[in-house]
Amino acid sequence: MEDLIGRTFGGYELTEHVGAGGVASIYKGFDERLSRWVAIKVVPIQASGGATEETLLARFRLEAQAIAALRHRNILTIYGYGEEEGWAYIVMEYVPGGSLADRIEPGVPFTWEQALTISIPVSQALAFAHEHNIIHRDIKPANILMPQDDWPLLADFGLAKMEHSTRPNLTMPGQVLGTMAYAAPEQIQEGEIDARIDIYSLAIVLYELLAGKLPFQGETSFDFLMARLTEPPLPLLEANPNVPPVFVPILDKALAQDPVDRFQTMVDFSQDLTEARYQLSRSAYRQPGIHEPISITGTQELQKTKATLKLTTSGQQILTSNQEELVVGRAHKNNIPDIDLGPHGGTKAGVSRRHSRLLRENNEWFVEDLGSTNGTFVNGAKIPPNKKTAVKKGDVLRFGQIELEFTLES
């Protein structure tokens, strides 16, 4: 593809080549109207108008439509689409932090906290896409952008498929879509596919993060593909004996060769990952000698009081029980947290189902983020996940975008 630096599309001047994928090239450009950098993905529109070119252009248009239909914190935002002077282009937000692929080192596993901080938000983004009948079909580390360590962004919907769509199939005969290392068996066999292929691919990514290697090996590309179809994945604890065993049944199910044996929805997969994080966080708290308490108020006062929360916007008090541990989040099906922020706009405000917890320990009160997607804040400062932070009467706690005053009452 020719060098397009200096060219202008849709009012954006291309200043730097930053990536490529298939027939597309990605450039960095500057939006002078809004004073921001953008990423511009371009593909040539061939004058010949052959069947292959028409298919590629149709897929490119579909990518733009797919991203535009999905507004989610963990999905890359699209600003516009256009076709001019023999080129089609998509204008997207520019992410300077690189991709997850840039952060993976062969043989160097991520911690379980790091792996879940990435995989849970991506699973939630995919569940959102699936709810809108969009299958990604190309989940891999290179398509997970990382503007921050705790903020993954799902990108590159170039192979997206509209489930239950009347559109013609845009896969050319004999072509297997998706990167082979992360493709589901039914993709390799060019069989019928549905949203469960994204479950399989995300499970491969999670396995790689936890183990430091892929679950299938092969000396040749053919061996590598056949292993996917005929062999079970390398046992997780054999690949990395230090991985918490809670991941074994989850990944065994997500990586089942037969889609019927996998999680049937991304929501189910995401819930199991969230529950695993909760279990692992709780077990970490029980280890002796960690999280020494910091004195914040008198023992006599705490023994006579219980924690309550009050919405700073309305002053409405949220009733709580006199428990020593209170999970803050929002209800889902039969899972109801002790403090349910769902009725107070928790979903739109980015409150996770198991967002944080308040606990009294050795006559002290603490708040602790349970690895939430949008963070927990004390007096405006974001607290690290899975670590207890002391709180006192009058402190302002923020869960996602909901602010509450922490109070104590008899």
Side-chain angles (χ1 to χ4, degrees):
M1 182 181 289
E2 66 178 277
D3 188 356
L4 299 176
I5 292 178
R7 292 279 298 272
T8 299
F9 292 106
Y12 303 94
E13 181 181 355
L14 310 188
T15 61
E16 180 185 350
H17 184 264
V18 295
V23 297
S25 288
I26 303 173
Y27 290 84
K28 183 179 179 181
F30 189 70
D31 182 351
E32 293 188 356
R33 293 162 295 188
L34 297 176
S35 298
R36 65 182 178 187
W37 290 101
V38 297
I40 305 171
K41 186 175 184 177
V42 296
V43 298
I45 303 175
Q46 301 295 335
S48 63
T52 299
E53 288 77 13
E54 289 180 1
T55 297
L56 292 174
L57 180 58
R59 187 180 297 137
F60 195 65
R61 289 170 177 160
L62 179 62
E63 175 182 6
Q65 294 169 2
I67 303 175
L70 302 174
R71 298 299 301 273
H72 189 278
R73 169 180 165 80
N74 299 105
I75 295 178
L76 190 71
T77 301
I78 183 172
Y79 298 142
Y81 172 85
E83 298 173 15
E84 58 184 72
E85 299 181 2
W87 299 90
Y89 61 90
I90 300 173
V91 184
M92 304 170 288
E93 65 177 306
Y94 175 69
V95 180
S99 73
L100 179 58
D102 301 323
R103 304 183 178 212
I104 294 177
E105 297 181 35
V108 182
F110 283 41
T111 66
W112 66 261
E113 294 96 336
Q114 292 171 324
L116 290 178
T117 296
I118 294 167
S119 58
I120 289 177
V122 172
S123 72
Q124 293 169 341
L126 285 167
F128 181 77
H130 294 172
E131 288 174 2
H132 288 75
N133 299 320
I134 295 175
I135 308 169
H136 190 283
R137 295 206 291 183
D138 196 17
I139 304 301
K140 58 185 178 182
N143 287 339
I144 300 173
L145 305 183
M146 299 296 298
Q148 298 174 10
D149 290 344
D150 59 350
W151 183 15
L153 273 178
L154 186 59
D156 203 339
F157 281 75
L159 301 184
K161 178 181 184 294
M162 300 295 189
E163 196 171 22
H164 312 306
S165 173
T166 57
R167 297 174 183 266
N169 186 358
L170 298 181
T171 305
M172 289 173 283
Q175 179 185 24
V176 180
L177 296 180
T179 303
M180 290 301 94
Y182 305 89
E186 58 267 36
Q187 284 178 282
I188 296 171
Q189 295 174 312
E190 300 183 39
E192 291 294 324
I193 64 171
D194 57 30
R196 290 172 292 185
I197 66 170
D198 286 347
I199 294 173
Y200 187 97
S201 297
L202 181 57
I204 294 277
V205 173
L206 176 57
Y207 183 108
E208 183 178 15
L209 296 180
L210 292 170
K213 63 176 68 175
L214 292 167
F216 298 99
Q217 306 295 321
E219 295 184 2
T220 67
S221 297
F222 179 78
D223 293 339
F224 183 78
L225 293 180
M226 288 306 296
R228 192 81 49 84
L229 302 177
T230 60
E231 302 293 333
L234 177 69
L236 181 61
L237 294 181
E238 182 178 328
N240 181 7
N242 296 319
V243 174
V246 68
F247 288 106
V248 173
I250 295 175
L251 284 175
D252 284 349
K253 186 172 184 178
L255 291 174
Q257 289 183 356
D258 190 336
V260 174
D261 297 326
R262 288 180 212 150
F263 292 98
Q264 295 304 290
T265 70
M266 186 63 74
V267 171
D268 292 337
F269 185 26
S270 183
Q271 286 177 346
D272 272 26
L273 294 178
T274 302
E275 181 62 27
R277 179 173 60 187
Y278 179 68
Q279 292 178 14
L280 290 168
S281 298
R282 286 181 64 87
S283 65
Y285 307 141
R286 296 180 183 131
Q287 296 178 18
I290 64 172
H291 304 317
E292 293 298 328
I294 302 173
S295 178
I296 58 171
T297 189
T299 299
Q300 183 177 4
E301 178 187 356
L302 279 168
Q303 287 176 338
K304 295 180 179 179
T305 60
K306 70 174 183 177
T308 62
L309 295 173
K310 183 171 62 176
L311 291 167
T312 58
T313 54
S314 65
Q316 178 184 353
Q317 182 172 302
I318 298 177
L319 299 177
T320 63
S321 66
N322 197 25
Q323 298 173 213
E324 293 192 345
E325 178 178 333
L326 299 165
V327 174
V328 182
R330 54 186 176 84
H332 178 73
K333 296 182 179 179
N334 294 326
N335 298 318
I336 302 175
D338 302 302
I339 301 175
D340 183 10
L341 296 181
H344 306 283
T347 300
K348 290 184 178 180
V351 177
S352 299
R353 292 170 186 167
R354 287 185 177 273
H355 197 106
S356 304
R357 70 169 183 160
L358 292 166
L359 66 155
R360 183 168 62 188
E361 197 171 89
N362 295 329
N363 297 318
E364 311 294 337
W365 278 102
F366 298 86
V367 65
E368 169 190 9
D369 185 86
L370 298 177
S372 67
T373 300
N374 296 310
T376 302
F377 300 76
V378 177
N379 297 325
K382 186 176 183 179
I383 65 174
N386 306 316
K387 292 184 179 180
K388 293 182 292 186
T389 299
V391 292
K392 63 182 182 298
K393 183 177 180 179
D395 281 346
V396 175
L397 311 183
R398 176 154 66 87
F399 308 100
Q401 296 301 318
I402 295 184
E403 282 193 347
L404 304 109
E405 180 184 351
F406 177 80
T407 63
L408 296 169
E409 66 175 26
S410 299

